[in-house]
Structures are given as structure tokens and as C-alpha cells.
């Protein structure tokens, strides 16, 4: 598949919460990479909006400092100048009309200066509690109406904290915006390897015929991090691993792995198929929650010879906290392709390795041709899609070890992104920002998908809240999670594929 090279539409990007970490670490570097690769037109401007009072001059020098820090010494001076000319800031209270009237005035000036046809995209890098307010205020001064140019709104996660809150947020936003103007971002969809799942499955003819219950025994999805909660204890303690990772990032991986071929790569065709998978995931009864889910919280431990403190000792975390930092689920997808094929998913902080991958475990060969030999235990085939840190795909199969007697060993056939395509400079946000600027919503969440995802996890959250964990902390920092996580697969005679860092 190759897409024709095109430029983003002429537009202004307005970042709410512009003085935060996301703007520094991801958004500006992503814009820089896009401009460097010549995807941005000259008719482009950026306006940062924050509660902090600051001049445009101060904001620009922060931006320059951040870009120099994140891009490194090779930062292109001409490009920095290009950004400087186009970057502005306006500060004020998000609840005050004045903040928005000043923004409106600034936008008009920039439209004129850079010949921009009133196309605006708003990036809400704010706490979710402000999503509704900012959108409403923007509507009050006519910044949501599309009569003079397009208006798009990107909302960062978390989008709600359960089914009810996600529904109310959808209702609140849809009162003001059309669904086609709402871009709910999930940065996992910006990752090359995640986008490659569709190309791997549907751009090759050899995998799809065996991608079903006749050949696949089960699927494992792991998103393990070595990091703890860092400086986000306040947010994380009220969220937990399940909310933070599963209805968003992990369900993206599940749907892309499990979906039927879409009729085209048009946004709704792809999202329809993803939504069908979410609707086909069997709901968890309270009984299921006890048997098909596992939660954990990290205690003290060691990672790379360094001592790590327990979650409960982290800054801004309640010392008696019952919030989970690890979650594992056994999902069943009730459809023709996947009946009887469990999808085991797990995610956790302070685990043994940074390791995100999807493992497709195939069934054993049916004919035990080698029954009488020493290799009675045939190896099973496995495809591992490595998402990070080493992006690539491995096919695991059995091969005869050279020699006069039949002996079989397990071998890996590896495709590694870096070896084939060289290093790609990317923050993971480039593609998503560019897609928003060109009006392609394929990699963004639709309202029904967000609600279907929360509908799956909300019953788990309810049971976990009603029955607080009594054994926390129940895994050591630097381990592969609580023993109950291994037991979840062992009860089905299966085992997690752990990698050693
Ligand atoms: C974020 C979560 O959405 O994703 C974090 O809030 C998590 O807790 C992060 O660390 C993981 O993203 P990545 O790209 O590092 O796998």
C-alpha cells in the first residue's frame, strides 16, 4: 500500500493546556518532524492556550528550548525560525469568555498573515474535566461552526472513567459538534507496528487463511512497562492499570488482531469492523470477574540492580491504596472466527521488562509423525508481533537439527523494522496530527467504540471496587506480575510468553 504524498491542509493548530508535558515532549517534536519531512504547508500556525499568563515571546523561547532538547544538536535552525514565526500564545481562565474572544482575534490575524482559510484544529491536552467547558466556550464565539472552514477537536485520553461518564461526555460534545469533528486520540494507533497489523494481515495472502479458530489456539497480548507511576501518582491512584491501559491501548490491539477485513480503508469501514469485535467480546458476569481477571499492585523490588520502592510509597499515592498497577483478563470473542479461542491480555507497571507484543499461538500439528522419536514434544508455531521496544515480527517454528538422527529444535525467523527500514524518527504523534489535518479519522476512536470498550470493563471495575484486594502489594517490582496471572493461563494448560530484557 502506498499513499500518495500530500500536504496537510492549510490550518491553525490550537493547543489547550499548551504549557504541559505533552506539548513539550510529543506535540512540538511531532510537528517539527512533520515540517522537516515537508508535510506541513507554509499556511500554517500554532496557538498555545494555557491558564498561565505568558507572552508569545516566552512561549516561543520555551518551544525552541524543548525542540533543541528533544531533537538534539542536529535541530534545523531554519526550521526553528519557521516555527518561531508561526507560534503564538494566549493565556487566561478557560471559563472566561475573554480568553476565547482574544483567541478569536489572534486567529483572525494569523489567518490573514499566513493566508489560512479559517481551518482550525483544537488539541485538548487538558484534564478531561475541561473537555466540555472548552468546547462549549469555543462554540459560544463561533469557533465550532464549519461554515467558513473546517473545525476539528482532538481529545486526549482518558475519555471518561467508566461507561456512564464516557456516555455523558459523548452526549455533551455531540450537542456542540458533529461526530465527524470529534477526534478521540489513542497514541497506540500512532505506532508504526500497530498500523502494520492491518497491512500484515490483509496485505499478504498467506496469513489470513489460517487466522481463525481452526488453526489458532489462543492469542496473548502483553503491554509491560518497567516504569512505575513516576510523577503521575495523583492521576494514577484514581485510575489504575485497567482504566489507564485496557479499554484504550490494549483493546486497539485486540480489535486490529481480531477484526474482519474491512471493505475499504475508509475511516468508518475500518472502525465498523473494530466496533463489531468490541461488541462480540463476551461481557463479564460478577462470577467471571472472579475467575477470568487478575489484579496486582507492585511492592518493593529490583530492576537492573536498582532498588525500587513499592507503589504505596510513591509520591501522591495513598499509603493504603488499593489501586491496581497490573491487570490481566481472559477475553472470549463470540463470533464465527474466534469461538473457543481465548485472548489473554495483561498490562502492568514495574515489570521485568519493557515489552509490548501480540503473540498468535497456533495449534499443534495434528499428525504426530515423530511420536516414536526423542522429539515427541513437537514445537508449536507462533507469530509474535513486537510493538516495542524492538519493533518487528517473529515466526517461531520447528526445524531439524542437522545430523544422522531426527532431532528437532525451535527456531525463529525474524523481521526487524530497524534492520529493514532504518531508524525512523517519530514520536508516534506525527501520523495522528497529520490525519487530523487532512480529515482522516480512521485512527481515531468513534463514540460507539469508546462506549463499547467501557461496557466491557465497567463490570470488572464494579466488582473490584465492591471487593477490595486484600493481598496488595502482591508482586515484586521487576517480576512478571502476581502469581495469579500465571495461574490464569495454567488453569487452561497455557503459559505466558515472557521475554528477558
Ligand atoms: C499512557 C498511560 O496512555 O500510555 C501510561 O497513561 C503509560 O500510564 C503509557 O505509561 C504507555 O505508552 P507507551 O507508548 O510508552 O507504551
Amino acid at each position: 500500500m502506498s499513499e500518495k504524498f500530500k500536504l496537510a491542509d492549510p490550518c491553525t493548530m490550537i493547543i489547550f493546556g499548551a504549557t504541559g508535558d505533552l506539548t513539550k515532549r510529543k506535540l512540538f517534536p511531532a510537528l517539527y518532524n512533520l515540517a522537516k519531512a515537508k508535510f506541513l504547508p507554509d499556511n500554517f500556525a500554532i496557538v498555545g492556550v494555557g491558564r498561565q499568563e505568558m507572552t508569545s515571546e516566552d512561549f516561543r523561547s520555551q518551544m525552541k528550548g524543548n525542540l533543541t532538547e528533544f531533537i538534539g544538536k542536529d535541530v534545523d535552525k531554519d526550521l526553528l525560525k519557521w516555527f518561531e514565526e508561526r507560534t503564538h500564545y494566549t493565556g487566561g481562565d478557560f471559563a472566561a469568555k475573554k480568553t476565547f474572544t482574544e483567541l478569536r482575534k489572534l486567529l483572525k490575524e494569523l489567518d490573514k498573515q499566513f493566508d489560512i482559510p479559517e481551518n482550525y484544529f483544537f488539541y485538548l491536552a487538558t484534564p478531561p474535566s475541561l473537555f466540555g467547558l472548552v468546547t462549549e466556550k469555543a462554540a459560544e464565539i463561533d469557533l465550532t461552526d464549519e461554515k467558513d472552514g473546517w473545525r476539528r477537536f482532538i481529545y486526549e485520553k482518558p475519555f471518561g472513567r467508566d461507561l456512564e461518564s464516557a456516555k455523558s461526555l459523548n452526549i455533551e460534545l455531540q450537542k456542540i459538534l458533529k461526530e465527524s469533528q470529534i477526534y478521540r486520540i489513542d497514541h497506540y494507533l500512532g505506532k508504526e507496528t500497530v498500523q502494520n497489523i492491518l497491512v500484515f494481515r490483509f496485505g499478504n495472502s498467506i496469513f489470513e487463511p489460517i487466522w481463525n479458530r481452526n488453526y489458532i489456539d489462543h492469542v496473548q497480548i502483553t503491554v509491560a512497562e518497567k516504569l512505575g507511576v513516576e510523577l503521575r501518582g495523583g492521576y494514577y491512584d484514581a485510575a489504575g492499570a485497567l482504566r489507564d491501559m485496557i479499554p484504550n491501548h490494549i483493546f486497539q490491539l485486540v480489535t486490529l488482531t481480531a477484526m474482519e477485513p474491512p471493505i475499504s480503508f475508509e475511516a468508518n469501514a475500518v472502525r465498523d469492523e473494530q466496533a463489531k469485535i468490541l461488541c462480540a467480546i463476551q461481557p463479564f458476569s460478577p462470577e467471571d470477574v472472579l475467575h477470568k481477571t487478575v489484579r496486582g499492585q507492585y511492592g518493593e523490588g529490583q530492576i537492573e540492580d536498582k532498588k525500587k520502592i513499592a507503589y504505596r510509597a510513591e509520591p501522591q499515592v495513598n499509603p493504603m491504596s488499593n489501586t491496581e498497577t497490573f491487570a490481566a483478563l481472559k477475553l472470549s470473542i463470540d463470533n464465527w472466527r474466534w469461538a473457543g479461542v481465548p485472548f489473554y491480555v495483561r498490562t502492568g507497571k514495574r515489570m521485568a521488562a519493557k515489552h509490548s507484543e501480540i503473540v498468535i499461538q497456533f495449534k499443534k500439528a495434528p499428525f504426530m509423525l515423530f511420536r516414536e522419536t526423542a522429539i515427541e514434544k513437537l514445537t508449536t508455531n507462533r507469530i509474535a508481533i513486537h510493538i516495542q521496544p524492538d519493533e518487528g515480527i517473529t515466526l517461531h517454528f520447528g526445524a531439524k537439527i542437522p545430523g544422522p538422527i531426527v532431532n528437532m529444535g525451535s527456531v525463529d525467523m525474524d523481521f526487524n523494522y530497524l534492520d529493514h527500514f532504518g531508524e525512523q524518527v517519530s514520536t508516534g504523534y506525527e501520523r495522528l496530527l497529520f490525519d487530523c489535518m487532512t480529515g482522516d479519522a480512521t485512527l481515531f476512536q468513534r463514540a460507539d467504540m469508546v462506549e463499547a470498550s467501557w461496557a466491557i470493563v465497567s463490570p470488572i471495575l464494579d466488582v473490584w471496587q465492591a471487593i477490595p484486594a486484600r493481598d496488595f502489594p502482591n508482586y515484586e517490582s521487576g517480576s512478571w506480575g502476581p502469581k495469579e496471572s500465571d495461574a490464569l493461563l495454567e488453569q487452561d494448560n497455557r503459559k505466558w510468553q515472557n521475554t528477558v530484557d
Side-chain angles (χ1 to χ4, degrees):
M1 262 196 338
S2 96
E3 284 174 301
K4 272 206 224 106
F5 185 86
K6 56 181 178 186
L7 271 183
D9 291 359
C11 61
T12 303
M13 175 177 183
I14 300 116
I15 309 172
F16 280 88
T19 52
D21 223 36
L22 186 79
T23 311
K24 279 187 224 160
R25 293 161 56 89
K26 302 286 181 186
L27 302 182
F28 271 127
L31 289 170
Y32 174 93
N33 290 338
L34 280 173
K36 178 108 187 141
K38 306 217 176 311
F39 282 108
L40 297 186
D42 276 334
N43 329 62
F44 181 74
I46 303 165
V47 177
V49 190
R51 279 186 278 200
Q52 213 173 309
E53 287 299 341
M54 183 192 299
T55 62
S56 285
E57 202 40 60
D58 292 341
F59 187 60
R60 277 182 212 123
S61 76
Q62 268 191 17
M63 179 268 300
K64 268 174 67 180
N66 298 146
L67 279 179
T68 314
E69 181 188 339
F70 286 98
I71 307 294
K73 60 176 175 20
D74 294 335
V75 69
D76 183 327
K77 299 272 178 330
D78 292 339
L79 212 48
L80 276 189
K81 192 154 173 286
W82 188 89
F83 271 106
E84 261 187 290
E85 285 162 9
R86 289 169 168 73
T87 302
H88 291 258
Y89 183 85
T90 172
D93 181 353
F94 292 168
K97 191 163 182 185
K98 183 166 166 273
T99 311
F100 289 80
T101 42
E102 273 169 18
L103 170 65
R104 188 84 177 99
K105 204 168 121 227
L106 178 58
L107 289 174
K108 280 222 168 341
E109 286 165 20
L110 293 171
D111 288 342
K112 222 164 158 193
Q113 183 182 351
F114 293 103
D115 192 19
I116 300 172
E118 295 203 32
N119 290 334
Y120 305 137
F121 86 99
F122 298 82
Y123 198 113
L124 279 86
T126 64
S129 54
L130 296 174
F131 289 172
L133 175 76
V134 171
T135 316
E136 198 187 301
K137 291 284 165 198
E140 275 176 20
I141 49 153
D142 209 18
L143 276 173
T144 51
D145 195 293
E146 291 197 292
K147 62 182 183 309
D148 297 318
W150 53 252
R151 309 289 154 89
R152 297 174 190 146
F153 286 72
I154 300 189
Y155 298 94
E156 258 298 331
K157 78 173 260 275
F159 198 89
R161 52 176 282 111
D162 53 21
L163 179 57
E164 283 320 303
S165 55
K167 274 187 178 166
S168 348
L169 187 52
N170 275 332
I171 292 172
E172 196 177 357
L173 299 179
Q174 284 169 340
K175 271 191 202 146
I176 309 170
L177 302 168
K178 289 180 281 189
E179 177 62 24
S180 60
Q181 294 176 274
I182 304 176
Y183 288 68
R184 300 171 192 82
I185 202 165
D186 183 319
H187 80 276
Y188 262 56
L189 288 173
K191 294 184 191 285
E192 281 293 339
T193 24
V194 174
Q195 290 168 28
N196 187 42
I197 300 172
L198 290 187
V199 176
F200 179 70
R201 288 190 55 199
F202 304 129
N204 295 295
S205 60
I206 57 172
F207 303 115
E208 215 33 40
I210 53 168
W211 208 263
N212 56 51
R213 59 194 285 269
N214 298 326
Y215 297 93
I216 295 178
D217 178 72
H218 72 279
V219 175
Q220 299 185 8
I221 298 181
T222 298
V223 178
E225 297 181 273
K226 280 203 253 188
L227 290 179
V229 288
E230 310 302 296
L231 299 173
R232 299 162 71 224
Y235 150 76
Y236 197 88
D237 210 31
L242 183 70
R243 280 193 178 93
D244 189 44
M245 298 294 287
I246 293 190
N248 33 65
H249 309 327
I250 289 201
F251 281 179
Q252 296 299 341
L253 304 181
V254 171
T255 56
L256 294 173
T257 307
M259 68 190 258
E260 294 301 314
I263 54 166
S264 74
F265 277 108
E266 190 269 321
N268 276 333
V270 175
R271 298 188 298 178
D272 284 347
E273 295 306 332
Q274 287 182 280
K276 281 187 208 162
I277 293 296
L278 294 169
C279 295
I281 294 178
Q282 216 175 72
F284 284 81
S285 67
E287 186 69 14
D288 289 335
V289 176
L290 302 180
H291 298 114
K292 297 183 181 174
T293 73
V294 173
R295 57 186 152 164
Q297 188 191 73
Y298 64 82
E300 290 175 354
Q302 205 157 310
I303 301 183
E304 284 159 3
D305 300 335
K306 286 208 186 84
K307 280 212 156 81
K308 299 291 174 194
I309 56 170
Y311 174 70
R312 287 178 178 178
E314 298 277 11
Q316 295 171 45
V317 168
N318 175 353
M320 301 298 287
S321 174
N322 258 322
T323 300
E324 81 287 352
T325 60
F326 174 96
L329 316 179
K330 176 181 174 182
L331 303 170
S332 308
I333 302 178
D334 279 348
N335 68 11
W336 190 270
R337 186 189 284 260
W338 296 113
V341 181
F343 277 57
Y344 301 97
V345 303
R346 64 176 168 168
T347 183
K349 296 220 179 264
R350 282 275 188 258
M351 295 186 55
K354 179 165 175 70
H355 170 64
S356 302
E357 78 174 7
I358 302 170
V359 174
I360 315 293
Q361 180 69 60
F362 289 89
K363 292 182 175 172
K364 277 199 173 148
F367 180 45
M368 290 302 205
L369 184 63
F370 306 102
R371 195 178 298 124
E372 303 304 322
T373 73
I375 45 138
E376 192 175 18
K377 279 198 162 177
L378 276 183
T379 184
T380 47
N381 298 123
R382 195 163 69 228
I383 291 176
I385 303 176
H386 314 287
I387 292 160
Q388 54 193 20
D390 301 314
E391 293 98 340
I393 296 172
T394 303
L395 173 63
H396 180 84
F397 58 100
K400 181 180 173 296
I401 298 174
I405 51 165
V406 182
N407 246 334
M408 190 184 266
S410 300
V411 294
D412 284 341
M413 207 153 84
D414 267 325
F415 152 67
N416 185 305
Y417 258 79
L418 194 66
D419 297 345
H420 283 260
F421 299 118
E423 190 161 6
Q424 301 291 310
V425 190
S426 165
T427 61
Y429 277 74
E430 288 78 358
R431 168 79 197 239
L432 299 171
L433 294 180
F434 179 76
D435 282 358
C436 182
M437 294 183 221
T438 52
D440 182 349
T442 313
L443 299 178
F444 293 85
Q445 298 293 286
R446 227 170 36 190
D448 59 326
M449 294 164 73
V450 170
E451 290 179 18
S453 300
W454 281 117
I456 300 161
V457 300
S458 283
I460 306 174
L461 292 167
D462 292 345
V463 174
W464 284 4
Q465 197 187 338
I467 313 173
R470 292 207 200 99
D471 59 347
F472 280 2
N474 61 352
Y475 71 97
E476 264 182 35
S477 286
S479 71
W480 282 103
K483 57 183 184 328
E484 290 79 4
S485 159
D486 293 328
L488 182 71
L489 270 71
E490 278 158 13
Q491 70 192 7
D492 298 340
N493 286 322
R494 296 179 177 120
K495 206 170 171 298
W496 289 111
Q497 291 294 325
N498 291 336
T499 219
V500 186
D501 218 7

